[in-house]
Structure formats: C-alpha cells, structure tokens
C-alpha cells in the first residue's frame, strides 16, 4: 500500500511539474507565434495559418501551403496592447518540405522579437515525449493544445526527403505552420497535417520533424533557396516477382539477387546515370558502406547530402560486387507548380491539409 501511495504521489508530482513547465513555456512562446492571413488584391480573404519567429530580426517559419498562391499576407502578434497587423514578405520557399521563410516588416521599436529555437538533433526527439502545439485552429487565435509524440519518422507523407512526427496534440485548420514544442520550449516540429477524411481532429496529427525544419531553415536563411540532391536514376525495389518479370522480358539479363534497388529502365546514353558509370540491371545494395534495400533507406542516406557530393555505391553487376563513385546531381522541377499541386492532390486523397 505504501509503495502504491508513493508511486501515485510520484506520478502526481511529475504531472504537476510538466504542467508547470508547459505553463511557463506558453508564456514565453506565444509571443513568438504569429497569425498569418492571406488576401487577394481586392481584399477578399485567402485563408489563415500560423507561423513562428526564428530570429530576433523578424524572420519566421510557416508552411508553404499557407502562403502558396497568396497575393498579400498580414501578420498579427499575441499582444492585447498592439492589435495592429504588419505586412509579411516571403523570403524563400521549400515546397519539398512544405516550408517557407517569411519576414514580418516591423518598425524598429518592435525589434528584437522573441523567437523559438529549432531542435536540430533528431536524437532529442523521442516517442512518448510530451509536446504542445500553439496555433490558430479554426480561426481561434493562439490556441494551445497538449499531447505526446506517437512516432518520429513517418516517411514520405510530405515528400521522400522529409520525416514526419505523429502526435496527439489537437490541431485543425489554421494550425498549419505553427510550432510543436517540447518541455524545454524547443520546436520539435512544424504542424502540417491531420489524418482525417473531413479535415477535422480525429486524434492523429503530423508535423515536419525538427531536424528537417532546421536543415531547410538554414538554407532558406543563408541562400534564399533550398538545394536538394538527386541521383537521377530510374530505380525500384527488386524482389522475386519483379526479378522473374524482368527475366521473362530480358532473358539474357544477369540478376542473381532479389534485394536492393534495380536499374530496370534503359538509360539514355547522355543521361546522368550513364555518365556516372551505372548500367541497366545494376542493383544498388549499399551507399558509403550502409545497406540499401528500399527507397526509404536510399532517401535517408542522401537527404542531407549536397549536389556534387560523391557517394560510394555498392552494386551487383553480372554476378559480381563492384564499387562505383557516384556524384549527386541537383533536384530539378521542370514544372514546379504542377509538382506541388499534384503532390497536394495526392495528400488530400488520404490526409487532410489543415
């Protein structure tokens, strides 16, 4: 009985401590979270979202879908003594991560602003961790919700290079671009989606993970754009079924394995892959000594590389293992808006953009 009582007291003390911690974080953080509202040139509304300051000079992070197609943007502080709006300018975009960097045009007397630190170390973002979301859900200003992290690497929900946190803090339309904070007040994610057929809260929320947010932010701040690597290869997972299908079509192909990523398409002679030494039916099984068996593993290994970086590929060709040095290219989008809109449509088929 005594042990049970002590256990209950410990839980109560721990819970009380976390509550006080988050209460303090709320007071410190809400001034760094701003409301964004888009409008057309004729003054009609184009929706609203959230953003948060990341520098004392007034640079803020939000979702790309919050500012996508918006002609003018206004921003508001959490400040009952200052109900004025301030014009917001887009500084850089990263649609691959659904992120954007904006600058709030503030008078000198409003600077420096309070800002939030982004958690860049993925090892400090843990399943079961208590988190808090601040944002403007459903048009209700500066709403705070709490939850826990359910998962730290939901891959491919936004794009192949971006990892997503699944959490239980309530978010809805209007939370997009707002911060997901841990008990230290650091941004572990940017709230982006809810899993729902109707776009309202059902218990599953998604946020772009902090380390990916930081990676994007640094490039947007320093270079005004985000450059991402690409292998420019037509490859796919090889298994027994696909191996047999290829051998039926190409009986002379030498494919001894049913694991890794196979180059299954005929490459043009002037293609990037051919110039790097890759050939049809090569099977990629390793990068820089790390095994590769699916596209998620490939994306994870090259996501934070830079165009021009040299990889050492382990390839199976003609029943032999070979090592091949391979230079990464730069990701290109011939029709960028089409890419983004098509991705958004795919997401809407399964997830609700909030």
């Amino acid at each position: 009985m005594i042990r049970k009582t002590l256990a209950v007291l410990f839980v109560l003390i721990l819970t009380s401590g976390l509550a006080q911690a988050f209460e303090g974080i709320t007071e410190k953080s809400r001034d760094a979270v701003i409301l964004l509202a888009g409008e057309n040139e004729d003054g009609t509304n184009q929706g609203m979202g959230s953003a948060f300051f990341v520098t004392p000079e007034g640079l803020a992070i939000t979702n790309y879908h919050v500012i996508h197609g918006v002609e003018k943007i206004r921003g508001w502080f959490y400040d009952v003594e200052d109900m004025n709006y301030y014009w917001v300018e887009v500084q850089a975009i990263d649609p691959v991560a659904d992120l954007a960097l904006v600058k709030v045009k503030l008078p000198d007397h409003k600077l420096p602003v309070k800002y939030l630190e982004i958690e860049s170390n993925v090892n400090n973002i843990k399943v079961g961790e208590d988190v808090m979301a601040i944002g403007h859900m459903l048009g209700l200003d500066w709403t705070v919700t709490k939850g826990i992290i359910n998962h730290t690497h939901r891959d491919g929900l936004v794009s192949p290079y971006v990892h997503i946190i699944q959490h239980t803090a309530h978010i809805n339309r209007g939370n997009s671009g707002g911060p997901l904070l841990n008990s230290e007040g650091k941004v572990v994610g940017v709230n982006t989606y809810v899993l729902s057929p109707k776009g309202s809260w059902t218990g599953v929320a998604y946020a772009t993970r902090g380390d990916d947010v930081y990676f994007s932010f640094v490039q947007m701040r320093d270079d005004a754009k985000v450059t991402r690597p690409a292998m420019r290869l037509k490859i796919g997972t090889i298994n027994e079924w696909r191996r047999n299908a290829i051998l039926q079509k190409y009986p002379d192909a030498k494919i001894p394995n049913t694991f890794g990523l196979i180059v299954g398409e005929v490459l043009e002679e002037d293609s990037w892959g051919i110039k790097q030494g890759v050939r049809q039916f090569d099977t990629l099984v390793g990068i820089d000594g790390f095994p590769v068996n699916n596209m998620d593993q490939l994306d994870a290994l090259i996501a934070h590389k830079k165009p021009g970086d040299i990889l050492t590929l382990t390839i199976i060709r003609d029943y032999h293992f070979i090592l091949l040095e391979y230079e990464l290219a730069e990701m290109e989008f011939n029709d960028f808006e089409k890419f983004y809109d098509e991705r958004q449509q795919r997401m809407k088929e399964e997830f609700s953009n909030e």
Side-chain angles (χ1 to χ4, degrees), residues 259 285 314-317 319-323:
F259 60 91
V285 295
T314 302
I315 287 176
I316 299 177
R317 179 189 295 171
Y319 301 105
H320 298 286
F321 284 96
I322 65 171
L323 296 180

Side-chain angles (χ1 to χ4, degrees), residues 45-81:
N45 181 41
Q46 281 188 294
M48 64 175 56
S50 304
F52 58 95
F53 288 117
V54 286
T55 72
E57 297 82 21
L59 288 176
I61 290 286
T62 187
N63 279 142
Y64 175 60
H65 73 254
V66 171
I67 56 92
H68 176 57
V70 175
E71 296 174 347
K72 296 193 296 184
I73 310 170
R74 303 172 190 256
W76 283 264
F77 282 88
Y78 179 87
D79 188 348
V80 294
E81 297 180 359

Side-chain angles (χ1 to χ4, degrees), residues 81-339:
E81 297 180 359
D82 181 8
M83 301 302 291
N84 297 318
Y85 66 82
Y86 299 92
W87 292 110
V88 177
E89 293 182 342
V90 178
Q91 302 293 297
I93 60 173
D94 182 13
V96 174
D98 196 10
L99 295 173
L101 184 68
V102 300
K103 175 71 176 291
V104 183
K105 300 175 67 175
L106 297 169
D108 290 341
H109 73 274
K110 295 291 293 186
L111 298 173
V113 296
K114 292 184 179 179
Y115 65 97
L116 302 177
E117 180 181 350
I118 303 170
E119 179 54 76
S120 60
N121 188 345
V122 66
N123 295 320
N124 294 333
I125 304 173
K126 302 181 184 300
V127 172
E129 182 178 11
D130 290 278
V131 288
M132 176 180 71
I134 302 179
H136 310 287
M137 64 164 64
L138 304 175
L140 302 173
D141 56 352
W142 286 275
T143 300
V144 178
T145 57
K146 288 172 58 179
I148 65 168
I149 293 177
N150 305 129
H151 204 288
T152 59
H153 54 276
R154 293 292 189 208
D155 296 321
L157 295 181
V158 172
S159 78
Y161 288 156
V162 179
H163 301 89
I164 296 296
I165 290 175
Q166 178 183 319
H167 65 88
T168 62
H170 287 52
I171 64 173
N172 284 284
R173 295 185 184 279
N175 276 112
S176 287
L180 185 70
L181 303 164
N182 64 13
S183 59
E184 296 179 357
K186 292 185 177 181
V187 178
V188 295
V190 175
N191 291 309
T192 306
Y193 286 96
V194 293
L195 177 58
S196 168
K198 296 182 179 180
S200 58
W201 176 250
T202 59
V204 181
Y206 294 120
T208 304
R209 203 171 67 190
D211 57 318
D212 288 324
V213 176
Y214 185 78
F215 174 82
S216 177
F217 159 62
V218 170
Q219 290 196 61
M220 288 193 291
R221 179 196 62 192
D222 296 345
D223 304 325
K225 69 174 186 176
V226 178
T227 302
R228 296 183 184 276
M231 296 192 71
R232 294 190 189 167
L233 282 176
K234 296 179 180 179
I235 54 180
T237 304
I238 183 71
N239 51 36
E240 185 173 359
W241 178 86
R242 189 174 186 192
R243 175 180 178 272
N244 292 337
I246 292 174
L247 291 176
Q248 285 182 4
K249 187 175 181 179
Y250 303 95
D252 295 332
K254 298 176 181 179
I255 308 173
N257 56 292
T258 56
F259 60 91
L261 299 172
I262 192 167
V263 181
E265 299 289 337
V266 177
L267 301 177
E268 297 176 1
E269 288 300 319
D270 62 347
S271 69
W272 184 271
I274 285 290
K275 291 179 179 179
Q276 299 292 310
V278 174
R279 299 294 178 263
Q280 186 184 22
F281 304 134
D282 281 354
T283 304
L284 173 62
V285 295
I287 293 179
D288 294 339
F290 294 94
V292 175
N293 195 41
N294 54 54
M295 294 302 294
D296 285 344
Q297 291 175 340
L298 171 65
D299 293 334
L301 287 170
I302 72 172
H304 289 181
K305 299 286 187 179
K306 297 179 180 179
D309 285 351
I310 305 297
L311 307 177
T312 299
L313 308 185
T314 302
I315 287 176
I316 299 177
R317 179 189 295 171
D318 296 339
Y319 301 105
H320 298 286
F321 284 96
I322 65 171
L323 296 180
L324 180 68
E325 288 192 346
Y326 194 94
E327 181 181 350
L328 288 172
E330 183 175 341
M331 182 183 289
E332 294 181 345
F333 303 103
N334 294 326
D335 188 346
F336 188 75
E337 292 300 323
K338 180 180 178 182
F339 160 79

